[in-house]
Amino acid sequence: MAGKQQWQEQAKLWAGRVGRHCMRLADAARIRLMALTARGHAHLMTLPPLRRALVLALWSFLALLLLLTLYMLLLIPLTPSIHDLRQARTAAPSSMVSTDGTELVRFDQGLQERVTLKQISPNVVNALIATEDHRFYQHHGVDFKRTAGAIVHTASGNAQGGSTITQQLARNMFPEEIGRSRNLNRKLKELITALKIEATYSKTEILEAYLNTVPFLYNTFGIEMAARTYFDKPASRLDILESATLVGMLKGTNYYNPVSNPERSLQRRNVVLGQMRKHDLIDEARYKQLLKRPLRLHFERQSERAQTDSHFTAYVRKWLINWADENDYNLERDGLVVHTTLDSDLQQAAERAVERQANALQAIADVEWSRAGLPSSTSTGMYASMQAGSAPFDYFWKSHPELNDAFVRESNDYRKLVADGKTPDEALAQLKGDRRFMSALHKAKTRLQAGFVAMDPATGALRAWVGSRDFAREQFDHVAQAARQPGSTFKPIVYGAALEKGITPDHLYRDAVTDIKAADGTIWRPTDMSGTTGREMSMRDGLVYSKNTITAQVMQDVGLPPIIKLARALGIRDSKLAAVPSLALGTSPVTLLEMVNAYASIADQGQARLPFVVTHITDRDGKVIARFGDDRPKRAMPEESANTLLDMMRGVIDRGTGTAIRNRFGIRSDVAGKSGTTQNNADGWFILMHPELVGGAWVGFNDARVTMRSNYWGQGGHNAVLVVGDFFKTALDTGKLTRDAIFPGGKPPAPLRRVEPVEEVEEEAGDLQQEGTPEAPLAMPVEEAGGQESNGRAVPQEPAAQPQPQQPPAPQSPDGGAP
């Protein structure tokens, strides 16, 4: 114990001596520094003023350089190490999740294909070095001469970049470690990393790595995918103009995007050519010749679909790629979490509804078109039991020989045979004799399709989205891409415009045929196949029973401009609406998404919201970096008018063309809606409004010349209503929607009593179509080789032929009759 105490006292003694010695040294150093400063100051004062200023500037520069060097030494361990450079950097792919956090898809399927420098056109390398770093082979990662020049030019107001190719590669390889902010700290990290890269890789490896990692928009990385995206060729075949165009994009991919900004891209391409001329990579004559060449693209966006994609995620993915490009994020590396509006439970209910009901309707179509005699039943089960013993669409093809030949002539296989020297008749005969080809063609043409989408009317959030029966089989989206004639689902907009004008629901119209003169002088005579009574009918009943004669008169009283204006305000923003009288019966093609958006605006008391698919985006640490869907609603129609219109549409469900909602599915909630059917049963629509959700479905064939055979199953109130009713029944039974929810001003529905549905039948031939009215469109373009569907150019359409020989009908309304 005594020894320990003695040791502690000795330590204190030595510490005191060391401390006093250090203080003496510090005092001495301070005195010496003060003396040197005084002597220096005295010496400076003896110098002429100009020389004195130069010496002070030199000392200041040296001091700043010393501090900068010390700071760089501190940054060395904070930048990627040699080991990091040699190891593949583990990227954190971004993910897309539903409202409950269920992962929908990951962005780990990058659009990148690495190639060696030998597989890249020399034109690319020459353009790159001449434009971005002409002293590339002379420096060791940092071109101090160019950096100094950039500083001088920037200080004089002409901003220039001084980064070498190696420095740009450092940013591409390590965006998070180096950072995105435009400040000195980032530039120093970039400089240090570039020096490390030069010490690790050869110049050839650096060029190869750079050209394989540089971004080119559309989720495309590297010169190989850029060459395929913008010019539909591999990087090895890029000519000098194509190479200059792609290299020119590197200064600002969005700004110089040749797709969206061709003029800027052309100017930038010529700047690159000028740099190549300046550094003697092309001669003067060649340079002047190239300047005159136009910007020629063969743009083809590369497939970015992952195996787990759906129509919803594909839609979000396309939007998100543009967002990431504009905000400088890498979806494959940055580990973002994209929080979507999709509700997993509602999405599953929608997928099951489409699968079940589309299969049932396919069985009906297969059986009805399998034989000359037409079965008659309102039970889907009967057709399902008959399907196995039927030859699907056998009678259709026998009774439509000309249509069968037309489908063959529209195929890619036919065009290829003709291009190879076959006569049209020889090509037709050869393909019709090819059983495999004909089988594939017939299956594609006769596969019934469906789309469904559901939207929260209070926010605009899309909660469920099914674009086709099977995304893996068909990526064409019948929610946002397919524009089809909406038929009678458009009528509520006509009646809404009438309410805005002050016409009351009890206003009487005579149920009689009326001649309406169009702007071009043609006469339009809308009728109903069920005939006219000649009696007066209220405007409310005109909508409930979907009377064309009444709707046409309402349109006359309101006028087309207010109807179109209201349609735009409610949510039909992109599709063209032809200003012709038959617009009132839904002859202008629109998308299902637009129609559901319009009905959601009615359901929310006339307040219109833009539909949105993403609520917010977080980074890998959970920090919110962007929010969406906070836009204020816009008043599309007066609240009173919207509530009155909604009440009129309750009648459609209670006693009109939508009674299947009550009778078949037993839904007792406060709901309203409308059905729609177009010419020859080409399109079936049904949209239902619940206080908490609006959902709509479209049913039909991709080619409008193929239709449901019977008027009963061809109507939206009997086909599309199955999908909608199935979905809402599940949503209500599982508690996703409140059974007792009531629209403002509404009341609980009356006790259930069975009401026979109003039949939706075609209009009487010969009075509905007029010049200027669009024909019933294809949901998507015609098939390509082997009967597979393609996103190529659509061909002119023909009306579907009738199953029995008859006189050719006069043009009809695409509305196809009552709903």
Side-chain angles (χ1 to χ4, degrees):
M1 188 72 176
K4 183 178 180 181
Q5 186 176 3
Q6 186 177 5
W7 180 83
Q8 288 177 341
E9 291 177 356
Q10 191 70 25
K12 288 180 180 179
L13 180 63
W14 278 103
R17 290 177 179 176
V18 170
R20 288 191 293 273
H21 183 66
C22 289
M23 289 180 65
R24 285 196 296 270
L25 289 176
D27 288 339
R30 180 170 55 82
I31 293 170
R32 185 167 180 80
L33 181 60
M34 291 176 63
L36 287 173
T37 302
R39 287 169 58 187
H41 182 265
H43 178 68
L44 274 176
M45 297 307 294
T46 63
L47 297 176
L50 180 60
R51 188 175 178 185
R52 186 191 315 157
L54 290 174
V55 170
L56 279 172
L58 179 62
W59 285 1
S60 299
F61 174 75
L62 291 175
L64 182 62
L65 187 61
L66 177 62
L67 290 173
L68 191 60
T69 302
L70 290 173
Y71 185 66
M72 288 182 66
L73 292 175
L74 292 173
L75 283 179
I76 289 177
L78 301 178
T79 55
S81 66
I82 299 297
H83 175 76
D84 293 329
L85 296 173
R86 287 177 174 161
Q87 297 294 323
R89 182 176 180 274
T90 303
S94 300
S95 62
M96 194 186 301
V97 299
S98 62
T99 54
D100 62 356
T102 301
E103 184 174 282
L104 302 174
V105 70
R106 294 176 69 84
F107 291 86
D108 53 3
Q109 301 290 323
L111 299 180
Q112 181 180 26
E113 182 174 327
R114 291 185 173 272
V115 291
T116 65
L117 202 61
K118 293 180 180 180
Q119 295 173 291
I120 300 173
S121 169
N123 293 315
V124 175
V125 177
N126 290 338
L128 176 66
I129 292 176
T131 307
E132 295 294 321
D133 190 1
H134 70 275
R135 285 165 45 84
F136 175 71
Y137 289 105
Q138 281 75 54
H139 64 68
H140 298 285
V142 180
D143 189 345
F144 292 102
K145 179 180 178 181
R146 185 182 178 194
T147 301
I151 293 173
V152 172
H153 283 290
T154 301
S156 63
N158 180 23
Q160 290 189 7
S163 295
T164 64
I165 289 175
T166 315
Q167 287 173 280
Q168 294 178 47
L169 175 61
R171 289 201 303 268
N172 292 342
M173 291 179 67
F174 303 100
E176 289 187 8
E177 290 84 345
I178 292 175
R180 296 184 175 89
S181 302
R182 296 179 179 274
N183 53 36
L184 179 62
N185 187 62
R186 190 205 79 176
K187 294 300 294 183
L188 291 176
K189 286 184 177 181
E190 182 184 292
L191 183 149
I192 295 168
T193 306
L195 293 174
K196 292 180 180 180
I197 289 174
E198 289 275 349
T200 308
Y201 296 114
S202 67
K203 290 289 187 180
T204 298
E205 290 172 325
I206 290 171
L207 280 176
E208 188 175 292
Y210 177 85
L211 288 170
N212 276 303
T213 57
V214 66
F216 280 99
L217 295 180
Y218 307 107
N219 204 28
T220 297
F221 297 87
I223 192 66
E224 179 68 16
M225 293 307 290
R228 295 185 189 182
T229 299
Y230 294 98
F231 298 105
D232 194 25
K233 61 172 60 175
S236 59
R237 292 174 46 207
L238 289 171
D239 63 28
I240 190 169
L241 290 175
E242 294 163 345
S243 300
T245 300
L246 293 179
V247 169
M249 288 181 67
L250 301 180
K251 186 176 181 180
T253 50
N254 265 315
Y255 193 80
Y256 296 109
N257 182 356
V259 177
S260 57
N261 298 304
E263 292 184 1
R264 292 177 191 163
S265 179
L266 179 64
Q267 293 172 0
R268 179 62 183 166
R269 182 205 72 180
N270 291 342
V271 170
V272 174
L273 293 174
Q275 289 297 107
M276 296 179 75
R277 172 68 191 99
K278 178 180 178 181
H279 297 291
D280 295 324
L281 293 171
I282 52 176
D283 58 31
E284 185 66 21
R286 178 69 169 150
Y287 169 63
K288 291 181 178 179
Q289 182 185 37
L290 291 173
L291 286 179
K292 300 176 182 178
R293 300 281 181 85
L295 186 70
R296 288 197 176 100
L297 296 180
H298 193 162
F299 180 75
E300 184 173 346
R301 190 163 183 163
Q302 303 300 297
S303 174
E304 45 217 18
R305 176 174 59 88
Q307 294 299 314
T308 55
D309 257 342
S310 66
H311 287 95
F312 177 81
T313 58
Y315 181 89
V316 178
R317 181 187 292 272
K318 182 178 179 181
W319 170 85
L320 195 62
I321 288 169
N322 292 329
W323 177 88
D325 286 341
E326 292 172 1
N327 292 275
D328 197 22
Y329 283 102
N330 185 321
L331 295 176
E332 293 178 2
R333 297 180 179 181
D334 291 346
L336 306 180
V337 179
V338 182
H339 300 262
T340 72
T341 60
L342 199 75
D343 184 295
S344 295
D345 295 330
L346 292 177
Q347 178 66 14
Q348 289 179 13
E351 290 172 357
R352 285 195 296 267
V354 169
E355 181 181 8
R356 277 195 297 255
Q357 304 306 332
N359 286 343
L361 291 167
Q362 183 74 65
I364 292 170
D366 288 348
V367 172
E368 284 192 337
W369 282 114
S370 67
R371 63 204 72 191
L374 184 63
S376 178
S377 175
T378 60
S379 168
T380 58
M382 188 205 78
Y383 291 93
S385 65
M386 296 174 63
Q387 187 178 26
S390 302
F393 278 81
D394 182 62
Y395 178 68
F396 178 87
W397 298 116
K398 289 178 180 178
S399 60
H400 295 72
E402 293 182 359
L403 187 58
N404 186 56
D405 289 355
F407 289 155
V408 174
R409 290 191 182 98
E410 291 163 6
S411 69
N412 248 355
D413 294 57
Y414 174 86
R415 289 192 287 268
K416 287 179 181 178
L417 287 175
V418 172
D420 290 341
K422 296 278 187 181
T423 67
D425 289 342
E426 289 173 342
L428 180 64
Q430 179 176 327
L431 290 175
K432 289 180 70 175
D434 186 336
R435 290 187 177 182
R436 178 177 294 182
F437 169 83
M438 293 303 295
S439 176
L441 178 66
H442 286 172
K443 284 182 180 179
K445 286 294 183 182
T446 60
R447 181 172 170 81
L448 183 119
Q449 280 300 338
F452 177 87
V453 67
M455 177 177 171
D456 183 346
T459 64
L462 295 173
R463 300 302 187 192
W465 181 314
V466 182
S468 73
R469 290 173 65 183
D470 183 358
F471 180 80
R473 183 168 178 172
E474 178 171 329
Q475 287 80 57
F476 186 74
D477 189 355
H478 296 85
V479 170
Q481 284 181 287
R484 298 290 289 239
Q485 292 173 328
S488 295
T489 54
F490 190 84
K491 288 179 181 177
I493 298 173
V494 178
Y495 289 84
L499 293 172
E500 283 191 328
K501 192 172 181 179
I503 303 174
T504 67
D506 297 328
H507 185 82
L508 297 177
Y509 289 94
R510 186 169 299 281
D511 179 18
V513 177
T514 304
D515 289 350
I516 298 175
K517 190 174 183 180
D520 60 0
T522 59
I523 300 298
W524 182 51
R525 185 179 295 109
T527 63
D528 294 288
M529 180 67 102
S530 56
T532 56
T533 64
R535 294 194 296 268
E536 290 186 333
M537 177 181 288
S538 70
M539 187 172 74
R540 178 188 297 273
D541 284 347
L543 178 60
V544 168
Y545 299 119
S546 202
K547 296 288 290 184
N548 292 330
T549 53
I550 305 300
T551 306
Q553 294 175 68
V554 174
M555 178 275 300
Q556 271 191 304
D557 287 348
V558 175
L560 287 171
I563 293 171
I564 294 174
K565 180 181 178 181
L566 179 59
R568 296 295 187 208
L570 289 172
I572 304 176
R573 299 178 178 88
D574 298 323
S575 296
K576 181 180 179 181
L577 298 176
V580 295
S582 62
L583 170 71
L585 303 188
T587 57
S588 284
V590 296
T591 65
L592 178 59
L593 181 59
E594 287 178 310
M595 288 304 299
V596 169
N597 189 186
Y599 276 55
S601 301
I602 297 170
D604 194 36
Q605 300 181 282
Q607 294 192 110
R609 288 175 168 83
L610 290 172
F612 68 101
V613 291
V614 175
T615 58
H616 61 287
I617 299 174
T618 56
D619 61 18
R620 66 178 67 201
D621 298 320
K623 179 183 177 183
V624 176
I625 58 176
R627 287 191 180 277
F628 308 94
D630 295 330
D631 297 336
R632 284 190 171 188
K634 294 183 179 180
R635 176 60 60 184
M637 64 186 301
E639 181 178 329
E640 182 180 356
S641 298
N643 289 339
T644 302
L645 178 59
L646 191 145
D647 185 57
M648 293 168 66
M649 296 170 73
R650 281 191 183 97
V652 175
I653 305 302
D654 293 335
R655 56 192 178 92
T657 58
T659 55
I661 292 295
R662 305 274 193 225
N663 295 341
R664 187 183 288 266
F665 295 99
I667 294 174
R668 299 300 308 132
S669 299
D670 184 18
V671 292
K674 189 70 182 75
S675 58
T677 310
T678 63
Q679 185 177 357
N680 292 329
N681 304 320
D683 307 279
W685 294 72
F686 198 89
I687 305 175
L688 190 68
M689 298 180 287
H690 178 277
E692 298 169 348
L693 198 69
V694 175
W698 167 88
V699 168
F701 296 87
N702 282 330
D703 195 309
R705 290 168 290 183
V706 182
T707 67
M708 299 295 284
R709 185 179 179 186
S710 68
N711 284 334
Y712 182 87
W713 290 111
Q715 298 164 24
H718 295 142
N719 55 41
V721 74
L722 298 181
V723 178
V724 176
D726 188 328
F727 169 83
F728 273 92
K729 185 178 189 306
T730 301
L732 289 163
D733 289 348
T734 57
K736 293 299 294 187
L737 296 179
T738 306
R739 286 185 182 277
D740 300 329
I742 298 176
F743 284 106
K747 58 184 179 180
L752 179 63
R753 65 183 182 88
R754 183 171 181 82
V755 178
E756 291 301 321
V758 174
E759 294 298 323
E760 297 180 281
V761 292
E762 279 190 81
E763 265 66 62
E764 185 176 355
D767 333 56
L768 287 181
Q769 185 93 10
Q770 79 214 46
E771 292 183 17
T773 302
E775 294 185 10
L778 301 172
M780 65 179 292
V782 295
E783 286 88 358
E784 297 295 340
Q788 297 302 307
E789 289 147 347
S790 163
N791 287 336
R793 181 177 60 85
V795 298
Q797 301 173 51
E798 304 168 6
Q802 300 298 318
Q804 300 291 346
Q806 59 182 10
Q807 293 298 320
Q812 291 184 319
S813 168
D815 177 62

